[in-house]
Amino acid sequence: MSGPTAPRARTREPFDRRIARAVQAVTGRALGPHQTAIVRIGFSLTWLVFLLRELPHRHEMYGPDGPWSWELARRLTADNRAFTVLMWSDGRVWFELVYGLAVLSAVLLLVGWHTRAVSVVFMVGVLSLQNRSVFLGDGGDNVLHLAAIYLVLTRCGQVWSLDARRAARRAARGAREDVAGPLLWTVLGGFLLATTWFSDVTGEWWLPVLLWVLWLGHGLWWLVCRLAPGEPRTLLDVLANLTHNAALVVIMAEVCLIYATAGWYKIQGSRWQDGTALYYPLHLDYFSPWPALSELLGASGIMVMLLTYGTVIVQVAFPFTLFHRKVKNVLLVAMMLEHAGIALLLGLPVFSLAMISADAVFLPTAFLVALGARAVRGRDRLLRRRSAGAVPEQRRTGEEHGPRTLVG
């Protein structure tokens, strides 16, 4: 009997094949569809919550009754060239229209209705209101400001959206063509004409150019899908995937930069070095929505020290743990809990929700798929209970089972 055979040596894949596989991975599909979907939902929900919360005070914050008058805003935007359509007119009707469109775009982006076009309207609403009164807001507004631009470049409606449901129905039953898309494209074309007309008071020249490129690109996409679905459609898919993946990497890099910068600046502060930095905001009336809870937490020196040092450690360490999945997930949960604590203890819910939405780009795909499947099962169970009074529920057999994922 012959002895045991030696294990075969692993053949290394040629370098050109590895390069080809990497290029195929980047151009063949839009990476992170669930991550970009949860980021879309998170930021649109954040902006919607903020707009509805400040609805009674909108005129004082961004409108004609604010201390930062329209004339002061016009002078500032003339110097910094910030984009805002509120400089087109100082009338109350125009302001109400822009504010209403901002609320509507947030709702439509949240449910994923024509995300390619609605994301542009969402970006215009965010930039217009925030640049109208630049001295309002906090760090969460800055994150939302940038994310609104990045979302325009992503294919964030592939899952968990009305667009995905419409595409699945069209593929399964050959549903009729949607007329809302071309109509919305035409309406946005008229808006772009007005943007070009008021370009001297709108802001930097590059943003209207970007809007025109997006508008023409969407029109070209619609034509190619119906008239040339072969190689031209494949080329457009490659370009869209490249743009999406690049924007996704930029979002990830921005989150890492935010935490790395915040952590390293904290290290240089004496209050963070001696572990007492958290004590002071807990004893400010302006940042104490629950005074009893803040006083209880601030009374424990050990707890204040642990939370202070823990905040610095998590923020500094997170960018270095991206390639270690388990450690990264632990720190990700810690940062989300930290922002939830900021919302509860310091009364900054919009800031916390914006940061949690940004952190969600690093959530594991398996967790998001399982979360979506559980949401679908809960929805089906709720609908089944509602219809139980009209139609008797059939007994479930071993062959029947609920949907496990939202994708396929």
Side-chain angles (χ1 to χ4, degrees):
M1 182 180 294
S2 60
T5 60
R8 295 182 179 180
R10 296 183 60 183
T11 59
R12 297 185 61 181
E13 186 179 13
F15 180 75
D16 57 342
R17 290 189 178 181
R18 283 183 288 174
I19 294 296
R21 192 172 69 250
V23 172
Q24 176 64 26
V26 174
T27 61
R29 62 190 179 94
L31 302 175
H34 294 84
Q35 284 79 3
T36 50
I38 199 68
V39 168
R40 182 202 84 226
I41 294 171
F43 278 113
S44 57
L45 180 62
T46 301
W47 185 235
L48 179 62
V49 169
F50 174 79
L51 293 178
L52 295 181
R53 187 188 70 173
E54 304 299 341
L55 187 64
H57 315 290
R58 63 189 185 278
H59 293 143
E60 291 76 14
M61 296 181 63
Y62 302 113
D65 298 336
W68 190 252
S69 65
W70 185 86
E71 181 61 27
L72 290 176
R74 186 189 64 81
R75 294 181 182 179
L76 181 61
T77 54
D79 292 334
N80 61 16
R81 303 297 296 170
F83 177 88
T84 172
V85 299
L86 289 176
M87 292 297 98
W88 293 2
S89 172
D90 60 347
R92 188 178 296 269
V93 175
W94 175 242
F95 168 76
E96 297 290 356
L97 178 61
V98 173
Y99 200 93
L101 287 177
V103 173
L104 179 61
S105 64
V107 173
L108 296 179
L109 189 63
L110 177 65
V111 299
W113 183 81
H114 291 279
T115 53
R116 291 178 179 174
V118 171
S119 62
V120 177
V121 183
F122 177 80
M123 177 190 69
V124 171
V126 171
L127 299 185
S128 297
L129 289 174
Q130 290 188 354
N131 291 334
R132 167 62 175 83
S133 299
V134 295
F135 299 107
L136 296 176
D138 47 34
D141 291 336
N142 295 330
V143 176
L144 179 61
H145 191 103
L146 296 174
I149 300 176
Y150 301 149
L151 283 176
V152 173
L153 305 176
T154 63
R155 309 180 77 171
C156 55
Q158 295 185 19
V159 297
W160 299 340
S161 65
L162 296 180
D163 290 347
R165 187 179 70 169
R166 184 174 61 252
R169 288 182 175 179
R170 184 181 297 114
R173 299 196 298 264
R176 64 181 182 179
E177 187 65 29
D178 183 28
V179 298
L183 180 60
L184 184 60
W185 183 80
T186 304
V187 173
L188 291 180
F191 168 78
L192 280 178
L193 290 175
T195 303
T196 306
W197 180 265
F198 291 100
S199 59
D200 55 336
V201 295
T202 301
E204 288 287 354
W205 62 269
W206 63 266
L207 196 52
V209 171
L210 174 63
L211 296 177
W212 275 112
V213 170
L214 294 172
W215 184 78
L216 293 174
H218 290 171
L220 180 62
W221 185 282
W222 187 88
L223 290 175
V224 168
C225 290
R226 282 142 189 86
L227 302 180
E231 293 185 359
R233 168 64 187 274
T234 303
L235 177 60
L236 290 182
D237 270 328
V238 169
L239 294 176
N241 292 335
L242 283 173
T243 305
H244 167 93
N245 295 332
L248 184 61
V249 171
V250 171
I251 294 175
M252 293 180 175
E254 180 195 342
V255 175
C256 292
L257 183 62
I258 289 174
Y259 285 119
T261 304
W264 286 107
Y265 270 109
K266 286 182 176 66
I267 289 178
Q268 303 175 34
S270 59
R271 298 297 179 232
W272 292 97
Q273 293 175 4
D274 59 25
T276 62
L278 187 63
Y279 174 84
Y280 299 98
L282 290 176
H283 289 79
L284 293 176
D285 294 337
Y286 185 77
F287 292 106
S288 299
W290 310 98
L293 183 59
S294 299
E295 183 177 356
L296 178 63
L297 183 61
S300 175
I302 296 178
M303 183 62 65
V304 170
M305 182 185 66
L306 291 177
L307 291 177
T308 301
Y309 286 150
T311 299
V312 176
I313 293 173
V314 169
Q315 292 183 353
V316 173
F318 178 74
F320 299 99
T321 63
L322 295 182
F323 298 102
H324 195 290
R325 183 176 303 177
K326 293 183 179 179
V327 178
K328 182 263 294 182
N329 292 338
V330 171
L331 293 185
L332 188 61
V333 172
M335 289 192 302
M336 289 185 171
L337 291 177
E338 173 192 342
H339 291 303
I342 291 175
L344 179 64
L345 295 174
L346 302 183
L348 298 172
V350 176
F351 166 79
S352 299
L353 189 55
M355 291 306 303
I356 291 175
S357 301
D359 295 341
V361 74
F362 293 105
L363 288 174
T365 302
F367 168 76
L368 293 175
V369 171
L371 181 65
R374 181 167 297 183
V376 171
R377 287 195 295 268
R379 181 201 63 186
D380 293 343
R381 192 178 296 113
L382 179 62
L383 294 177
R384 193 180 304 117
R385 289 179 180 177
R386 290 183 177 180
S387 60
V391 180
E393 182 179 1
Q394 297 180 354
R395 294 183 178 179
R396 299 177 64 88
T397 65
E399 300 177 354
E400 297 174 344
H401 56 83
R404 292 175 179 246
T405 67
L406 288 178
V407 287

